[in-house]
Amino acid sequence: MKRNIVIAVVTAAALVGGGTATALAVSGDDDRGASVARAEARAGDDDGRDDDRDDRNEDRDDRDDRGEDRSDDRGDDRDERAVSGDVTAAEALAAALKHTPGTAVAAELDDGAWEVDVLGDDDGWHSVQVDPGSGKVLGASADDEDDAREVRAALKGSSVTAGEAARAAAGKGVVTSVELDDDDRGWEAETRASGGGERDWRVDLGSGKVTADRGDSDDD
């Protein structure tokens, strides 16, 4: 009987870390040791590659989060600069009218820029964007609003413009918006105090007098 018998033992195991099935071929004690060493080396390589992939994915997630944080911070900084008084609502209205002649009926600090609504002499509506830091007009576009007649009727006989209303309301805080209320015939203004509190005001179309808005629970 031959003594040099090759015994082959094949073991298939699913490794938990990498999900790799390991085949172990045994042919004597020396072959068994070498095969085990090779299998363990391959498993180690697979685990190392998986760890590297996980690290790279985590790095990408961290970069994405940092990018979103920077974007949010830039938006907050733009709003804070505008509210700090670099370019006031009245100045933004004047810049918009110089670029697009007509009647300004609203101005609002929105997403880091002043948005000014202008009713043109031809009754066409225009939206003008003004930089809150420099006062430069960033762009203008036509709107398709159809309430020109109502706005003209509300402003008939009035002596206080949107810019004058913004300047009057500025005595109550930093003006962040001003717009015409063509139903109640008056200007509505919103101000922000240095502490961050917001207040709503009404400015009379004839006298320019500023009073607390009826919907505001605080007294003047």
Side-chain angles (χ1 to χ4, degrees):
M1 178 180 291
K2 295 181 179 180
R3 298 175 58 84
N4 188 14
I5 299 176
V6 178
I7 302 173
V9 180
V10 179
T11 304
L15 298 181
V16 175
T20 303
T22 303
L24 175 62
V26 180
S27 176
D29 293 339
D30 292 339
D31 290 342
R32 181 186 300 112
S35 298
V36 169
R38 286 194 296 272
E40 290 177 348
R42 285 196 298 273
D45 291 341
D46 291 341
D47 290 341
R49 285 193 293 271
D50 290 340
D51 291 341
D52 290 341
R53 283 194 294 271
D54 291 341
D55 290 341
R56 287 195 294 272
N57 290 335
E58 290 178 358
D59 289 340
R60 282 195 296 271
D61 291 341
D62 289 341
R63 287 195 296 271
D64 291 342
D65 291 341
R66 288 194 295 271
E68 291 177 358
D69 291 341
R70 285 195 295 271
S71 177
D72 292 341
D73 290 342
R74 286 194 294 270
D76 292 342
D77 290 343
R78 286 194 299 269
D79 288 344
E80 288 301 324
R81 285 198 300 272
V83 172
S84 68
D86 289 344
V87 175
T88 66
E91 291 169 342
L93 285 159
L97 288 174
K98 184 177 180 180
H99 180 274
T100 305
T103 303
V105 296
E108 180 180 10
L109 182 63
D110 182 28
D111 195 22
W114 284 105
E115 297 281 346
V116 181
D117 294 336
V118 177
L119 176 59
D121 295 334
D122 59 353
D123 284 351
W125 285 97
H126 306 273
S127 178
V128 184
Q129 295 79 44
V130 180
D131 187 281
S134 66
K136 180 181 178 180
V137 173
L138 301 175
S141 59
D143 283 344
D144 57 357
E145 300 289 342
D146 59 358
D147 58 347
R149 182 178 298 178
E150 290 82 354
V151 170
R152 297 287 189 200
L155 290 173
K156 186 176 181 179
S158 66
S159 58
V160 178
T161 65
E164 291 168 340
R167 283 191 289 271
K172 304 295 185 180
V174 178
V175 178
T176 55
S177 72
V178 59
E179 63 179 336
L180 176 68
D181 183 349
D182 53 5
D183 290 331
D184 294 339
R185 290 181 55 81
W187 293 106
E188 293 181 344
E190 182 178 86
T191 62
R192 185 181 300 176
S194 58
E198 296 180 348
R199 292 285 305 273
D200 294 326
W201 308 91
R202 291 191 63 80
V203 182
D204 189 89
L205 285 173
S207 65
K209 181 180 179 180
V210 181
T211 57
D213 189 89
R214 290 193 301 266
D216 199 325
S217 59
D218 296 331
D219 294 331
D220 187 2

